[in-house]
Amino acid sequence: MLKSLSTSLILRGILAFAVGIIALAWPSVTVLALVILFAVYAFIAAGLQAMQAFSSRNAGPVVGHLLLGLLDLAAGAIALAWPGPPRWSWC
């Protein structure tokens, strides 16, 4: 694909610079994209917690993993339901 490491690094630097400019130009779109990424991460984490819960042999870890999975699921759902900054923010 790219023949040298320096060419690859230069192209990655240009891409990173362009993404930074876009993030500064459209902060609301950037925040929305980050919220969606967080929600996807939370849903994946919830699924992994559920898988880990059902692969355990003892009852104690099952309950803990399921609770963590439900907490991850709730965090992802809340992030998607209210993607904007909170109104009570002091910033």
Side-chain angles (χ1 to χ4, degrees):
M1 188 161 148
L2 296 175
K3 294 186 179 184
S4 71
L5 180 63
S6 61
T7 305
S8 174
L9 289 175
I10 289 171
L11 288 176
R12 287 177 61 190
I14 291 170
L15 179 64
F17 183 75
V19 168
I21 294 298
I22 291 170
L24 289 174
W26 294 304
S28 61
V29 173
T30 305
V31 169
L32 182 62
L34 289 175
V35 166
I36 291 171
L37 282 174
F38 170 75
V40 168
Y41 165 77
F43 291 144
I44 290 172
L48 290 174
Q49 287 291 338
M51 286 174 40
Q52 199 168 17
F54 292 118
S55 67
S56 179
R57 295 177 189 234
N58 300 346
V62 171
V63 174
H65 287 300
L66 285 178
L67 287 176
L68 285 174
L70 288 174
L71 186 65
D72 287 335
L73 191 64
I78 289 170
L80 288 179
W82 294 289
R87 301 281 182 230
W88 47 266
S89 178
W90 294 293
C91 298

